[in-house]
Amino acid sequence: MKIVCVGGGPAGLYAALLLQQQGRHQVTVVERQRADDTVGWGVVFSDRTLDRLAGADAPSASAILAAFNHWDDIDVHFKGRVVRSGGHGFCGIGRQRLLQILQQRAIEAGVALVFGAEALDDQALAAQYDADLVIAADGINSRIRARYAATYLPAVEQRACRFVWLGTTRPFDAFTFLFEETEYGWFQAHAYQYDGATSTFIVEVPQAAWEAAGLDRMDPDDALAFCERLFARQLDGHRLLRKPVAAGASLWTRFPRVVCRNWVHWQQANGRPVPVVIIGDAAHSAHFSIGSGTKLALEDAIELAHALATVAGGLDPLTAALDAWQGARAVEVARLQSAAKNSMEWFENVQRYSAMEAEQFAYSLLTRSQRLSHENLRLRDPAYVAAFEAWLAARAFAAADLPAPPGPVPPMFLPLRVRGALLKNRIVVSPMAQYSAVDGVVGDYHLVHLGARAMGGAALVMAEMTCVSLDARITPGCPCLFDAEQTAAWRRVTDFVHGSTDALVGVQLGHAGAKGSTRRAWDGIDQPLALGNWPLVAASAQQYLAGVSQVARAASLDDMARILADFVTATRAAHAAGFDWLELHCAHGYLLSSFISPLTNQRTDDYGGTLAGRCRFPLEVFAAVRAAWPADKPISVRLSAHDWVDGGITPDDAVQIARLFKDAGADMIDCSSGQVSKLEQPVYGRMYQAPFSDRIRNEAGIATIAVGAIYDADHANSIVAAGRADLCAVARPHLANPAWTLMEAARIGYRAQPWPVQYAPARMQLERELERARGTP
Ligand SMILES: Cc1cc2nc3c(=O)[nH]c(=O)nc-3n(C[C@H](O)[C@H](O)[C@H](O)COP(=O)(O)OP(=O)(O)OC[C@H]3O[C@@H](n4cnc5c(N)ncnc54)[C@H](O)[C@@H]3O)c2cc1C
Ligand SMILES: Cc1cc2nc3c(=O)[nH]c(=O)nc-3n(C[C@H](O)[C@H](O)[C@H](O)COP(=O)(O)O)c2cc1C
């Protein structure tokens, strides 16, 4: 095939080289700059990326390897302290050197390189070179992407920080993150040495601080001098270096996050259909803090060349190869872009973590993308993780007013004291409706179900949503807690937990609102009852499932007064029933949640409108419950921190809502999301709601429970250690295995976790088998 590649950056050059090498194509690269012009300084790769390059083209990989500066450590400079961790395995190379190597190899392979030629019209280029395929590798501001936006469907978002890509002669023996607080806000620098004489030095700052510092009005030399003064201590007498900029232009840019739905556009050229394929930054960007943009660009090229390896021409094989390429590549790109987004957001919000001590701040930084976990870090640098665990444990035991044990304690097994409740570790059995009560009364099923989980090692077992009146139930199988019979039935459960286990037991009080009067989950979730439906109330008149659910009427002030009184009655009953912890259910579209979300609250009185108005009734209920609940017992509030619907609650709103509950005396926010509207578009993944907990905990300054796809010890350890949450609630894994916490303790080799004494023989056998499997004697 004849192939034209627009752009001679890493993506374009590498794709050209690999395709030309196949011996069946003639590739031309058209690059607007001269061969020796380049933006930027050094870039980094991980060791793993290098292995992939070696597999694709050994000569360029070994030339890159020879030019690399390699290092293992990451240093985090924060509040006058330096925290070092090792084993990270990175290489740095000058961008110019990388391009020289790729240009040289491309020429050797027979690629035609045309420099100093701006491609203004890809269709004219395709005609000029009689191309069968156009590769658009024209970078982050791709003109071709904009031209065929209707096909590629790009989303381009200019992010919140300003940054400048500088160099310096200051050597660094580690990948170095520098944080400096100024009167305008936090500034940070990402610095690493990439050759014998030069280091990359990227300065990044939120837009507001950038403007407050006057950097928007400063010329490039003054801006450079500002950065030199700011980081003078770490620059140690070395100068910062900058590339020339056009007259009147700023040194600073904002990072555009680029995501494209499609990467292949077909157009008619040379009398036949010719695909225009976008790769590299043109198709998807990854924030520089994750050091993966060049990696993504090179790997796009590797996969594209691989997909085209057997295509000699012809429409059908080419279409099939390009479809296969995008299908295979999209998953990896989405995964990396998601990690890059987490990382980018971390650096955009350094202020959020600034109250942390240097040790935890550095750990939070290292695990920011949620791809690098506690155990990954332990593999990289066991001494660093051991020292950090000891640091964390010393603080946790002191805060809980307990003597620290001699051995190491994984973060998820640290104790926590909340008011008069002492949690032996950080694991909660998340509330899970079982729909197995009879006329609101719990029975043997609940005793066995909750009792088994209380024996399973979690610190706190939260009973399912328990309803404050019969008409507050989701289904006829939901339990209630307002009369003597229900209280006595619950007492049987809490007595067992207290008498036979060392767990605490909590109750989640709720009112189903518009989601009430439905069938048990297994008989048709959210479907109205066949017979005997009861009337529903919600913040405003609404129907949860359009055309299916019963229509709830808007709660009148009298309804609200009755419901508030019901919550108080239930709270008193919960104390009488012996519960240690109370959670107010303000999530998932149930009654209190329906007041909070603008999707479900269209009231025009004092209980609607603004966020404060919408939170008014839930806060009134909270205040009444708090007043009726003993002062030494904690209350958590479960929120949907994201409705996942345009116009609904956002994580920004959730921080404000959390502040309101904190001011009202809540001890914790249980950070769930969704289930408010059937239009929701949630994005699932490991620990997918932990970022909401992170924001609420570190911005609103209230303790949190993280929940959602936390399914192994590594997740819980990472979340607690990074200060993303104080507790981790685990739901489905606890349905599958009541002793999930005990099993995870054994699996990670933590021996100090107490087991029920009756189960000691099982424990010995399990630990022995697991040790054998791990290969430890
Ligand atoms: C501050 C910063 C630090 C970074 N650090 C790292 C890092 O450490 N590790 C890492 O992996 N990545 C890093 N990156 C990302 C990396 O630079 C890019 O992801 C990578 O360069 C993408 O390669 P590309 O070939 O797709 O695009 P580019 O490198 O942008 O190349 C596009 C080329 O197309 C040319 N071009 C554009 N339009 C036309 C036209 N109309 N006609 C002809 N030519 C045209 C341009 O001149 C350019 O040479 C960093 C980026 C920034 C901004
Ligand atoms: C069977 C089942 C019932 C649930 N019932 C409740 C409930 O009563 N109250 C509540 O707040 N969340 C409820 N949830 C949500 C869980 O508490 C939890 O937030 C969710 O399952 C995500 O956690 P996981 O990924 O560990 O399962 C329920 C989940 C399941 C699977």
Side-chain angles (χ1 to χ4, degrees):
M1 288 192 293
K2 292 193 187 111
I3 301 172
V4 176
C5 198
V6 179
L13 286 172
Y14 207 48
L17 160 63
L18 298 181
L19 285 164
Q20 183 76 37
Q21 270 181 345
Q22 292 177 354
R24 290 175 297 106
H25 313 299
Q26 175 54 51
V27 190
T28 305
V29 174
V30 179
E31 164 59 49
R32 69 179 166 202
Q33 292 188 306
R34 293 195 314 262
D36 54 354
D37 278 351
T38 183
V39 292
W41 301 80
V43 294
V44 290
F45 296 132
S46 69
D47 287 352
R48 265 173 300 149
T49 305
L50 263 186
D51 293 343
R52 289 217 62 192
L53 299 190
D57 178 55
S60 57
S62 55
I64 291 169
L65 191 59
F68 259 139
N69 190 37
H70 186 274
W71 68 92
D72 272 330
D73 295 338
I74 293 182
D75 280 357
V76 180
H77 294 237
F78 180 66
K79 295 184 182 169
R81 303 267 317 283
V82 183
V83 178
R84 172 166 288 202
S85 60
H88 299 287
F90 279 111
C91 305
I93 185 170
R95 180 178 154 93
Q96 190 155 19
R97 183 77 195 99
L98 174 68
L99 292 181
Q100 279 165 359
I101 292 170
L102 297 180
Q103 286 168 8
Q104 185 58 39
R105 279 290 299 149
I107 290 166
E108 284 166 18
V111 174
L113 296 181
V114 183
F115 287 103
E118 173 106 34
L120 295 172
D121 180 349
D122 58 285
Q123 294 186 8
L125 267 187
Q128 184 183 343
Y129 291 97
D130 190 26
D132 303 293
L133 168 67
V134 176
I135 298 178
D138 52 345
I140 207 152
N141 298 313
S142 168
R143 185 198 299 253
I144 297 176
R145 182 182 69 223
R147 182 171 190 183
Y148 304 124
T151 305
Y152 299 134
L153 299 176
V156 181
E157 201 189 339
Q158 298 293 334
R159 296 300 306 190
C161 277
R162 290 277 169 172
F163 74 91
V164 54
W165 196 354
L166 302 172
T168 176
T169 50
R170 159 82 154 95
F172 290 98
D173 66 350
F175 193 121
T176 302
F177 292 106
L178 307 168
F179 296 87
E180 285 295 334
E181 189 174 20
T182 68
E183 56 190 307
Y184 318 110
W186 284 90
F187 281 68
Q188 60 244 354
H190 312 228
Y192 48 90
Q193 186 172 348
Y194 62 84
D195 65 23
T198 338
S199 300
T200 279
F201 198 93
I202 303 166
V203 180
E204 190 186 16
V205 56
Q207 174 83 12
W210 180 75
E211 284 171 16
L215 286 160
D216 53 339
R217 301 179 297 280
M218 257 180 232
D219 72 27
D221 287 328
D222 289 346
L224 198 74
F226 177 96
C227 293
E228 281 179 343
R229 281 195 303 278
L230 185 59
F231 294 104
R233 246 177 332 123
Q234 295 93 349
L235 284 170
D236 199 20
H238 289 264
R239 304 299 307 269
L240 288 176
L241 312 166
R242 69 174 178 85
K243 299 274 178 185
V245 288
S250 172
L251 269 188
W252 303 83
T253 39
R254 285 166 76 176
F255 180 78
R257 183 166 191 267
V258 177
V259 178
C260 286
R261 190 98 53 86
N262 301 309
W263 302 342
V264 184
H265 170 78
W266 286 87
Q267 56 158 313
Q268 210 50 36
N270 312 322
R272 58 186 185 274
V274 172
V276 184
V277 173
I278 41 172
I279 66 170
D281 273 9
H284 43 65
S285 61
H287 191 250
F288 50 82
S289 62
I290 202 167
S292 295
T294 311
K295 163 197 158 74
L296 275 183
L298 297 176
E299 290 179 353
D300 277 358
I302 293 174
E303 297 293 338
L304 183 62
H306 180 69
L308 295 175
T310 54
V311 180
L315 190 55
D316 289 347
L318 188 55
T319 308
L322 293 176
D323 287 352
W325 167 68
Q326 177 166 348
R329 192 79 193 112
V331 178
E332 172 61 10
V333 169
R335 209 177 281 146
L336 218 132
Q337 283 199 293
S338 157
K341 183 164 186 274
N342 287 341
S343 174
M344 174 179 72
E345 287 176 350
W346 194 96
F347 282 103
E348 287 172 352
N349 293 287
V350 166
Q351 171 68 35
R352 183 188 297 157
Y353 307 101
S354 60
M356 289 179 174
E357 292 182 69
E359 284 81 355
Q360 191 167 44
F361 180 87
Y363 184 96
S364 170
L365 184 159
L366 291 172
T367 56
R368 67 195 179 279
S369 72
Q370 293 208 152
R371 258 163 81 102
L372 189 63
S373 72
H374 197 68
E375 292 310 317
N376 299 147
L377 279 177
R378 197 195 304 280
L379 278 178
R380 290 181 182 197
D381 188 346
Y384 162 74
V385 170
F388 179 60
E389 281 188 348
W391 178 89
L392 205 60
R395 267 155 186 76
F397 280 95
D401 208 9
L402 293 170
V409 183
M412 69 184 267
F413 291 106
L414 295 172
L416 183 72
R417 205 181 280 280
V418 189
R419 295 191 187 238
L422 178 61
L423 291 97
K424 65 184 171 187
N425 60 45
R426 304 304 182 97
I427 302 301
V428 178
V429 176
S430 200
M432 279 180 286
Q434 298 296 296
Y435 315 109
S436 300
V438 178
D439 296 330
V441 182
V442 294
D444 288 353
Y445 175 83
H446 303 84
L447 177 68
V448 174
H449 169 71
L450 294 169
R453 279 143 192 88
M455 293 169 73
L460 171 63
V461 177
M462 194 71 82
E464 67 197 270
M465 171 165 143
T466 299
C467 307
V468 297
S469 59
L470 287 175
D471 65 355
R473 289 175 299 169
I474 311 168
T475 75
C478 291
C480 293
L481 186 46
F482 57 84
D483 69 15
E485 186 188 6
Q486 297 152 4
T487 306
W490 275 118
R491 181 95 218 179
R492 207 165 144 245
V493 175
T494 65
D495 280 350
F496 173 80
V497 173
H498 293 140
S500 300
T501 84
D502 58 358
L504 302 180
V505 57
V507 65
Q508 186 189 50
L509 293 184
H511 186 302
K515 294 176 77 175
S517 190
T518 62
R519 301 177 203 176
R520 292 170 175 83
W522 49 87
D523 291 330
I525 196 159
D526 294 329
Q527 299 296 315
L529 296 172
L531 285 174
N533 282 293
W534 56 85
L536 303 179
V537 286
S540 301
Q542 59 201 271
Q543 196 176 21
Y544 180 59
L545 297 183
V548 175
S549 303
Q550 282 198 81
V551 179
R553 65 182 159 79
S556 66
L557 294 183
D558 283 348
D559 290 326
M560 288 157 64
R562 176 181 66 85
I563 290 166
L564 185 145
D566 288 345
F567 269 99
V568 170
T569 303
T571 301
R572 296 208 176 99
H575 175 53
F579 284 107
D580 305 300
W581 187 292
L582 189 150
E583 179 160 287
L584 188 64
H585 200 339
C586 296
H588 301 169
Y590 296 118
L591 181 89
L592 296 177
S593 159
S594 78
F595 274 85
I596 296 174
S597 173
L599 301 174
T600 44
N601 183 340
Q602 283 87 43
R603 297 178 74 97
T604 51
D605 63 4
D606 289 349
Y607 295 96
T610 61
L611 186 96
R614 286 182 274 119
C615 289
R616 187 184 306 274
F617 183 58
L619 286 165
E620 285 176 4
V621 172
F622 177 85
V625 165
R626 182 63 270 178
W629 187 239
D632 66 334
K633 292 190 184 184
I635 307 188
S636 53
V637 175
R638 184 166 262 212
L639 294 179
S640 283
H642 198 330
D643 284 346
W644 305 106
V645 177
D646 281 347
I649 292 293
T650 64
D652 277 346
D653 298 328
V655 172
Q656 287 191 55
I657 298 165
R659 283 201 183 101
L660 296 173
F661 279 104
K662 176 189 173 193
D663 292 346
D667 297 295
M668 284 205 188
I669 302 296
D670 187 352
C671 305
S672 186
S673 74
Q675 298 175 51
V676 170
S677 160
K678 276 289 165 193
L679 301 176
E680 66 184 359
Q681 300 269 305
V683 181
Y684 296 118
R686 285 177 307 158
M687 306 175 273
Y688 70 105
Q689 294 170 151
F692 309 143
S693 167
D694 185 357
R695 285 202 60 182
I696 289 174
R697 181 176 191 272
N698 294 305
E699 284 183 39
I702 179 166
T704 57
I705 306 175
V707 65
I710 298 169
Y711 51 80
D712 79 21
D714 203 18
H715 299 157
N717 280 329
S718 309
I719 289 171
V720 172
R724 286 192 185 101
D726 299 85
L727 297 175
C728 291
V730 176
R732 288 164 297 173
H734 270 126
L735 283 188
N737 182 357
W740 181 85
T741 309
L742 297 182
M743 292 302 132
E744 288 300 289
R747 204 174 54 75
I748 63 172
Y750 178 58
R751 293 290 194 87
Q753 165 71 24
W755 278 50
V757 286
Q758 298 88 336
Y759 294 176
R763 170 192 195 147
M764 280 160 51
Q765 186 198 38
L766 178 71
E767 289 180 346
R768 203 170 47 237
E769 290 307 320
L770 286 169
E771 276 175 4
R772 207 169 278 159
R774 278 197 296 269
T776 44

